[in-house]
Amino acid sequence: MEPEEKNSTIELLKGFLQRRYDPTTKLLNFSTIVTDEEVAKSGMFRQESTQKKFFPALMVVCDDMLETREAKEAAIESVTLCGNNITNLNVVFDLCKTLNHIKNLDLSGNAFHSVNALKPWKGRFRKLEHLIIDPFSNIGWEEELTSWFPKLKILNGVQVRADKPAAGDAGMVTDAPMAAEPPPTTSTPTPNPTLNQQQEEMIVYVQTATNLKREYAIQCLEAGGWDLNRAGELFTQSQPSLPADAYN
């Protein structure tokens, strides 16, 4: 690649990252990459052969923009790869090298045929807490997927691993996966002091639109990376499994 062409590619990737980053929610939005106007013009995500080059190059540029592990952790908590119709992790594997600290990951709207398609990422995201993915047909895929990520708590809006109790609390402390079930509710939700004003407004919006109790609205938003559209999709997806007391 000629120096001028290389510089042009770097600028293209920098621009893409800047357009797709939301500093308020610390979200990198890699959804439907092929629809990005500048990327479409370049042809870099048009077919699998070029897609395989696009994402590693994108992660190299991300490394250059956020040079330290601390900088990455401070800037990015969530990534969505929804709607890219990818069938395996070949195209996006390098995400687990550069951003393996993320807490929220959306893989919905792709074309993974089985949970085995995700095996290259087994054990790679050690801090992942929320995962969204289109359900698979085989029995037990939820438990298998949960076992791959030691901190995973919410899978498609359903709690799959119990929180550890605070020091001194009675009860068993475990990171083992549990049967998928909605989180327990409390009669008087406690406001989270770490939420900012915009997030509080988003919670109220979701509660108004869905009639969910506050804690369920928060979990929908967290699992969707604090993106209202994704939270709405997640609510629709998980609505059949929600208990009656999830609603006001």
Short mmCIF file of all heavy atoms in Angstrom, two decimals, residues 21 27-28 32-36 40-42 58-59 61 93 95 107 138 143 145 149 161 170 209 215 218 245 248:
data_model
loop_
_atom_site.label_atom_id
_atom_site.label_comp_id
_atom_site.label_asym_id
_atom_site.label_seq_id
_atom_site.Cartn_x
_atom_site.Cartn_y
_atom_site.Cartn_z
N TYR A 21 -18.75 6.50 18.00
CA TYR A 21 -18.49 6.49 19.45
C TYR A 21 -19.41 7.48 20.16
O TYR A 21 -19.52 8.64 19.76
CB TYR A 21 -17.04 6.85 19.74
CG TYR A 21 -16.72 6.96 21.22
CD1 TYR A 21 -16.89 5.86 22.07
CD2 TYR A 21 -16.28 8.16 21.78
CE1 TYR A 21 -16.61 5.96 23.42
CE2 TYR A 21 -16.00 8.26 23.13
CZ TYR A 21 -16.17 7.15 23.95
OH TYR A 21 -15.90 7.25 25.29
N LEU A 27 -20.17 3.93 24.42
CA LEU A 27 -20.56 2.88 23.48
C LEU A 27 -19.87 3.06 22.14
O LEU A 27 -19.87 4.15 21.57
CB LEU A 27 -22.08 2.91 23.28
CG LEU A 27 -22.64 2.04 22.14
CD1 LEU A 27 -22.53 0.56 22.49
CD2 LEU A 27 -24.09 2.41 21.83
N LEU A 28 -19.29 1.97 21.63
CA LEU A 28 -18.81 1.91 20.25
C LEU A 28 -19.87 1.18 19.44
O LEU A 28 -20.15 0.00 19.68
CB LEU A 28 -17.48 1.16 20.16
CG LEU A 28 -16.20 1.99 20.17
CD1 LEU A 28 -14.99 1.08 20.03
CD2 LEU A 28 -16.19 3.04 19.07
N THR A 32 -24.44 -2.56 11.68
CA THR A 32 -24.65 -2.39 10.23
C THR A 32 -23.54 -1.55 9.58
O THR A 32 -23.79 -0.50 8.99
CB THR A 32 -26.03 -1.75 9.94
OG1 THR A 32 -26.16 -0.52 10.69
CG2 THR A 32 -27.15 -2.69 10.33
N ILE A 33 -22.32 -2.04 9.71
CA ILE A 33 -21.16 -1.30 9.20
C ILE A 33 -21.28 -1.02 7.71
O ILE A 33 -20.88 0.04 7.22
CB ILE A 33 -19.86 -2.09 9.49
CG1 ILE A 33 -19.63 -2.18 11.01
CG2 ILE A 33 -18.65 -1.44 8.82
CD1 ILE A 33 -18.46 -3.06 11.42
N VAL A 34 -21.86 -1.95 6.98
CA VAL A 34 -21.93 -1.82 5.53
C VAL A 34 -22.76 -0.60 5.10
O VAL A 34 -22.61 -0.11 3.98
CB VAL A 34 -22.50 -3.11 4.91
CG1 VAL A 34 -23.99 -3.25 5.19
CG2 VAL A 34 -22.22 -3.18 3.41
N THR A 35 -23.62 -0.11 5.99
CA THR A 35 -24.45 1.04 5.64
C THR A 35 -23.76 2.38 5.89
O THR A 35 -24.30 3.42 5.53
CB THR A 35 -25.77 1.02 6.44
OG1 THR A 35 -25.49 1.16 7.84
CG2 THR A 35 -26.53 -0.27 6.21
N ASP A 36 -22.59 2.34 6.53
CA ASP A 36 -21.86 3.58 6.76
C ASP A 36 -21.42 4.16 5.41
O ASP A 36 -20.77 3.48 4.61
CB ASP A 36 -20.64 3.33 7.64
CG ASP A 36 -19.91 4.61 8.01
OD1 ASP A 36 -19.00 5.02 7.24
OD2 ASP A 36 -20.24 5.21 9.04
N ALA A 40 -18.86 2.41 2.89
CA ALA A 40 -19.46 1.87 1.66
C ALA A 40 -18.71 2.38 0.43
O ALA A 40 -18.45 1.63 -0.51
CB ALA A 40 -20.93 2.23 1.59
N LYS A 41 -18.36 3.65 0.44
CA LYS A 41 -17.63 4.22 -0.69
C LYS A 41 -16.27 3.55 -0.87
O LYS A 41 -15.81 3.34 -1.99
CB LYS A 41 -17.42 5.73 -0.48
CG LYS A 41 -18.66 6.58 -0.68
CD LYS A 41 -18.32 8.04 -0.42
CE LYS A 41 -19.55 8.93 -0.54
NZ LYS A 41 -19.22 10.35 -0.21
N SER A 42 -15.64 3.22 0.24
CA SER A 42 -14.31 2.62 0.18
C SER A 42 -14.35 1.16 -0.27
O SER A 42 -13.35 0.62 -0.75
CB SER A 42 -13.62 2.70 1.54
OG SER A 42 -14.20 1.77 2.45
N LEU A 58 -9.05 -1.55 11.91
CA LEU A 58 -9.83 -0.67 12.78
C LEU A 58 -9.34 -0.75 14.22
O LEU A 58 -9.21 0.27 14.91
CB LEU A 58 -11.31 -1.06 12.71
CG LEU A 58 -12.31 -0.12 13.38
CD1 LEU A 58 -12.37 1.22 12.65
CD2 LEU A 58 -13.70 -0.76 13.40
N MET A 59 -9.02 -1.94 14.67
CA MET A 59 -8.53 -2.12 16.04
C MET A 59 -7.12 -1.53 16.21
O MET A 59 -6.78 -1.02 17.28
CB MET A 59 -8.54 -3.60 16.42
CG MET A 59 -9.94 -4.20 16.54
SD MET A 59 -10.94 -3.47 17.88
CE MET A 59 -11.93 -2.25 16.97
N VAL A 61 -6.06 1.15 14.66
CA VAL A 61 -6.30 2.59 14.78
C VAL A 61 -6.86 2.92 16.16
O VAL A 61 -6.50 3.93 16.77
CB VAL A 61 -7.26 3.07 13.67
CG1 VAL A 61 -7.67 4.52 13.89
CG2 VAL A 61 -6.60 2.91 12.30
N PHE A 93 -12.77 -10.96 15.08
CA PHE A 93 -12.08 -11.62 16.19
C PHE A 93 -11.21 -10.66 16.99
O PHE A 93 -11.13 -10.75 18.22
CB PHE A 93 -11.21 -12.78 15.67
CG PHE A 93 -10.41 -13.44 16.76
CD1 PHE A 93 -11.00 -14.36 17.61
CD2 PHE A 93 -9.07 -13.13 16.96
CE1 PHE A 93 -10.28 -14.96 18.64
CE2 PHE A 93 -8.34 -13.72 17.98
CZ PHE A 93 -8.95 -14.64 18.82
N LEU A 95 -11.54 -7.89 18.10
CA LEU A 95 -12.19 -7.13 19.17
C LEU A 95 -11.76 -7.65 20.54
O LEU A 95 -11.56 -6.87 21.48
CB LEU A 95 -13.71 -7.23 19.04
CG LEU A 95 -14.53 -6.45 20.07
CD1 LEU A 95 -14.44 -4.95 19.81
CD2 LEU A 95 -15.99 -6.90 20.06
N LEU A 107 -24.50 -8.81 19.96
CA LEU A 107 -24.18 -9.57 18.75
C LEU A 107 -25.44 -9.95 17.98
O LEU A 107 -25.39 -10.81 17.09
CB LEU A 107 -23.41 -10.85 19.12
CG LEU A 107 -22.03 -10.66 19.75
CD1 LEU A 107 -21.46 -12.01 20.18
CD2 LEU A 107 -21.08 -9.98 18.77
N ASN A 138 -30.42 -25.16 19.72
CA ASN A 138 -30.04 -26.32 20.54
C ASN A 138 -30.29 -26.07 22.02
O ASN A 138 -30.11 -24.96 22.53
CB ASN A 138 -28.57 -26.69 20.31
CG ASN A 138 -27.63 -25.53 20.55
OD1 ASN A 138 -27.73 -24.51 19.89
ND2 ASN A 138 -26.72 -25.69 21.50
N GLU A 143 -26.59 -22.01 28.98
CA GLU A 143 -25.67 -22.41 30.04
C GLU A 143 -24.24 -22.53 29.51
O GLU A 143 -23.28 -22.14 30.18
CB GLU A 143 -26.11 -23.75 30.65
CG GLU A 143 -27.37 -23.68 31.49
CD GLU A 143 -28.65 -23.61 30.67
OE1 GLU A 143 -28.59 -23.80 29.43
OE2 GLU A 143 -29.72 -23.36 31.26
N LEU A 145 -22.89 -20.94 26.91
CA LEU A 145 -22.36 -19.61 26.63
C LEU A 145 -22.03 -18.87 27.92
O LEU A 145 -21.00 -18.20 28.02
CB LEU A 145 -23.39 -18.82 25.81
CG LEU A 145 -22.89 -17.57 25.07
CD1 LEU A 145 -21.74 -17.92 24.13
CD2 LEU A 145 -24.03 -16.94 24.29
N PHE A 149 -17.96 -17.01 29.95
CA PHE A 149 -17.67 -15.64 30.39
C PHE A 149 -17.93 -15.55 31.90
O PHE A 149 -19.08 -15.50 32.33
CB PHE A 149 -18.53 -14.64 29.62
CG PHE A 149 -18.39 -14.78 28.12
CD1 PHE A 149 -19.43 -15.29 27.36
CD2 PHE A 149 -17.22 -14.43 27.49
CE1 PHE A 149 -19.31 -15.44 25.99
CE2 PHE A 149 -17.07 -14.58 26.11
CZ PHE A 149 -18.12 -15.08 25.36
N ARG A 161 -26.60 -15.40 36.13
CA ARG A 161 -25.64 -15.65 37.22
C ARG A 161 -25.95 -14.68 38.35
O ARG A 161 -26.14 -13.49 38.11
CB ARG A 161 -24.20 -15.49 36.73
CG ARG A 161 -23.16 -15.79 37.78
CD ARG A 161 -21.73 -15.63 37.24
NE ARG A 161 -21.28 -16.81 36.50
CZ ARG A 161 -20.98 -16.82 35.22
NH1 ARG A 161 -21.10 -15.71 34.52
NH2 ARG A 161 -20.56 -17.91 34.62
N ALA A 170 -24.90 -13.44 54.51
CA ALA A 170 -25.08 -14.88 54.56
C ALA A 170 -25.33 -15.41 53.17
O ALA A 170 -25.74 -14.70 52.27
CB ALA A 170 -26.27 -15.21 55.48
N ALA A 209 -42.84 3.88 28.55
CA ALA A 209 -43.17 3.18 27.32
C ALA A 209 -43.55 1.72 27.55
O ALA A 209 -44.33 1.14 26.79
CB ALA A 209 -42.00 3.26 26.34
N GLU A 215 -36.16 -1.22 38.27
CA GLU A 215 -35.00 -2.09 38.20
C GLU A 215 -34.95 -2.88 36.89
O GLU A 215 -33.87 -3.14 36.34
CB GLU A 215 -34.94 -3.04 39.40
CG GLU A 215 -36.17 -3.92 39.59
CD GLU A 215 -37.18 -3.31 40.53
OE1 GLU A 215 -37.34 -2.07 40.51
OE2 GLU A 215 -37.83 -4.06 41.27
N ILE A 218 -33.82 -0.45 34.13
CA ILE A 218 -32.37 -0.25 34.19
C ILE A 218 -31.64 -1.43 33.55
O ILE A 218 -30.69 -1.25 32.78
CB ILE A 218 -31.91 -0.06 35.65
CG1 ILE A 218 -32.40 1.29 36.19
CG2 ILE A 218 -30.38 -0.13 35.75
CD1 ILE A 218 -32.11 1.51 37.66
N ASP A 245 -44.79 -9.49 38.00
CA ASP A 245 -44.35 -8.45 38.94
C ASP A 245 -43.18 -7.62 38.40
O ASP A 245 -42.62 -6.81 39.12
CB ASP A 245 -44.00 -9.04 40.30
CG ASP A 245 -42.87 -10.05 40.25
OD1 ASP A 245 -42.30 -10.25 39.15
OD2 ASP A 245 -42.56 -10.64 41.29
N ASN A 248 -45.30 -2.37 36.72
CA ASN A 248 -45.94 -1.56 37.76
C ASN A 248 -47.43 -1.87 37.84
O ASN A 248 -48.04 -2.29 36.87
CB ASN A 248 -45.74 -0.07 37.46
CG ASN A 248 -44.30 0.35 37.66
OD1 ASN A 248 -43.69 0.02 38.68
ND2 ASN A 248 -43.74 1.05 36.69
#
